[in-house]
Amino acid sequence: MLNVRHAILHAFDFDTGTTFLSDHELDLEEKLVKSYVRRHLNRCVSSERNMHGEFSEGSGFVEELGLYLSRRSSFGELSKQIAQFLWEKLRTCDDLEPLDLLVADFEQSAEAPREDADEDELRRAYDAEPTRRFAVVLLPRSQTFMHSIEHPAGGATNEIVRHDATLPNPSGKVNTYALVDCKTLAVDFCDKPRTIAGAEVWIMPNMLLQCSREPSSREVIESVERIVEEVAEETG
């Protein structure tokens, strides 16, 4: 069970060089909004592509997150700081892509115990506290074409127009996000290399979070499969 405590959406427009930072959180009383946010967060948490990391000493992100968790700054203030930082980095990338930023504070309950669980397993499952996480998710926008109904004099006309601000479907994949355990500060993230002035950079772990980068479970499996294949070919 995933419970979203806070969520906010900030918009980036690289074509006009403008950020649209929201002053208000998303209305999670709206079922459509709540479902959209929860489904994306669930997919991020459960993805086998998640890499892992530990914050470096002196990470500015940890300091700002600590202020929020100790209630010395607000969710909206922290989300705007993150949005402004990512905007400044992303706008300098060689290949710009349309993106919006979702920031969320959520809790996830422990999984239900197995039907054949013994008493110790049942006790641990029911005594377990929900895991609270802070999420930073870049939502890629896509270009779509829609119909537009006009009503000029002489009758209705249907036209085709382009719309450039379509967010990914709830079941769609996102490839850049970070999840921070608010208690242990363990980091899970997904990112892809980008280029700034011809140099390869990892914006999420190296610039925003300032954390180490360990391989995901998928990368480990793929590495093992390659080794097995190479050994099999060599030995016949």
Side-chain angles (χ1 to χ4, degrees), residues 54-65 85 185 205-212:
E54 294 182 1
F55 285 111
S56 61
E57 194 172 337
S59 167
F61 186 91
V62 170
E63 182 178 348
E64 295 300 329
L65 179 61
F85 180 89
L185 295 182
N206 294 351
M207 296 183 173
L208 177 67
L209 301 174
Q210 296 175 307
C211 71
S212 58

Side-chain angles (χ1 to χ4, degrees), residues 68-101:
Y68 164 63
L69 295 176
S70 62
R71 300 183 181 181
R72 286 180 286 172
S73 70
S74 69
F75 177 78
E77 290 171 344
L78 178 56
S79 74
K80 284 185 177 180
Q81 288 179 337
I82 294 170
Q84 193 62 46
F85 180 89
L86 288 174
W87 162 258
E88 295 296 338
K89 298 303 179 184
L90 290 167
R91 69 188 299 199
T92 62
C93 290
D94 296 341
D95 297 320
L96 293 177
E97 57 180 323
L99 297 163
D100 285 339
L101 173 66

Side-chain angles (χ1 to χ4, degrees), residues 52-55 133 179-188:
H52 316 291
E54 294 182 1
F55 285 111
R133 291 187 175 93
L179 304 166
V180 181
D181 188 309
C182 294
K183 183 177 181 179
T184 67
L185 295 182
V187 182
D188 287 339

Side-chain angles (χ1 to χ4, degrees), residues 2-14:
L2 192 148
N3 175 47
V4 184
R5 299 159 56 106
H6 303 281
I8 196 167
L9 184 70
H10 299 298
F12 298 156
D13 189 340
F14 297 112

Side-chain angles (χ1 to χ4, degrees), residues 37-50:
V37 174
R38 285 179 60 184
R39 290 180 68 179
H40 271 298
L41 293 177
N42 263 318
R43 291 177 66 85
C44 291
V45 170
S46 60
S47 175
E48 62 181 12
R49 298 179 300 145
N50 288 350

